[in-house]
Amino acid sequence: GGAELSLEKQWEALKLSCSYTYLNAIIGWQHEAYKASNDLPYLLKAQISHTNDRFFTIACCATLRPGLWYTPIEGGEWHQESASFRPVYGEYNSKRLEPYQRFDLSLNKVHVLDKGRMLVVFASMSNIFNRHNQAGMVYSLDYAVELTSIPMQLYSIYGGIQLSF
């Protein structure tokens, strides 16, 4: 279960929108209930945008939430047949990754053409501060040590043109 509250306010060309989401996500396994990885006490999103009809729209968006839950590996056991270590897992979803923070910036310009057609030119910069948001963990070969984390999408820039008719 969960709940969401959102607000939006516009002052002429300036628009602000904010939302707060609470998500109580549970997984059932073998007659037991566990926190799902996306069980979140908060998910905050805020966007501010400015539209100038003659030029473009610019928007900045922030997304903040705690890290996702994950099941830690507490060590490894040697497996003779495969000549390798097998992970020994801790309690299901008992650890959280670091808090997630992402800031994006976008620009677009809509050109109204004849007969109801439109041309949209856009550019987007995602994760503009290049924050290393964690997607998971990497362990040593014997599973004794958490070495580093796997990053989610780092800084990226993309753009394009969209024609609708």
Side-chain angles (χ1 to χ4, degrees):
E4 182 174 11
L5 173 65
S6 64
L7 303 168
E8 187 173 284
K9 181 70 176 164
Q10 185 153 356
W11 302 272
E12 296 181 20
L14 189 65
K15 182 177 176 180
L16 175 66
S17 59
C18 302
S19 69
Y20 162 80
T21 303
Y22 166 78
L23 184 58
N24 183 25
I26 297 172
I27 291 178
W29 175 257
Q30 296 182 346
H31 309 292
E32 295 286 331
Y34 301 94
K35 290 179 273 211
S37 63
N38 62 343
D39 177 70
L40 302 173
Y42 68 90
L43 169 60
L44 302 171
K45 291 184 93 175
Q47 180 170 315
I48 187 165
S49 64
H50 182 272
T51 301
N52 180 318
D53 292 331
R54 289 188 51 213
F55 299 108
F56 56 83
T57 298
I58 184 169
C60 184
C61 181
T63 305
L64 309 166
R65 64 166 170 76
L68 299 179
W69 289 101
Y70 73 101
T71 303
I73 296 175
E74 296 181 339
E77 290 180 342
W78 180 253
H79 186 254
Q80 190 63 38
E81 290 84 34
S82 65
S84 64
F85 284 92
R86 288 187 177 171
V88 174
Y89 292 95
E91 186 179 337
Y92 185 80
N93 281 348
S94 60
K95 282 184 83 174
R96 272 200 193 274
L97 298 170
E98 291 177 0
Y100 179 93
Q101 300 171 5
R102 180 172 157 169
F103 297 88
D104 302 330
L105 185 63
S106 64
L107 296 164
N108 70 62
K109 172 64 177 150
V110 176
H111 300 278
V112 178
L113 307 174
D114 62 341
K115 299 178 184 175
R117 294 183 293 176
M118 291 191 311
L119 178 71
V120 180
V121 180
F122 64 92
S124 181
M125 294 171 273
S126 300
N127 195 10
I128 61 177
F129 299 119
N130 206 31
R131 177 156 166 88
H132 183 107
N133 290 305
Q134 297 176 321
M137 300 307 294
V138 176
Y139 292 85
S140 59
L141 292 176
D142 63 357
Y143 299 100
V145 179
E146 283 184 349
L147 297 175
T148 188
S149 60
I150 302 165
M152 291 186 176
Q153 178 185 356
L154 295 172
Y155 179 79
S156 65
I157 299 174
Y158 60 94
I161 298 172
Q162 179 182 10
L163 176 63
S164 62
F165 50 93

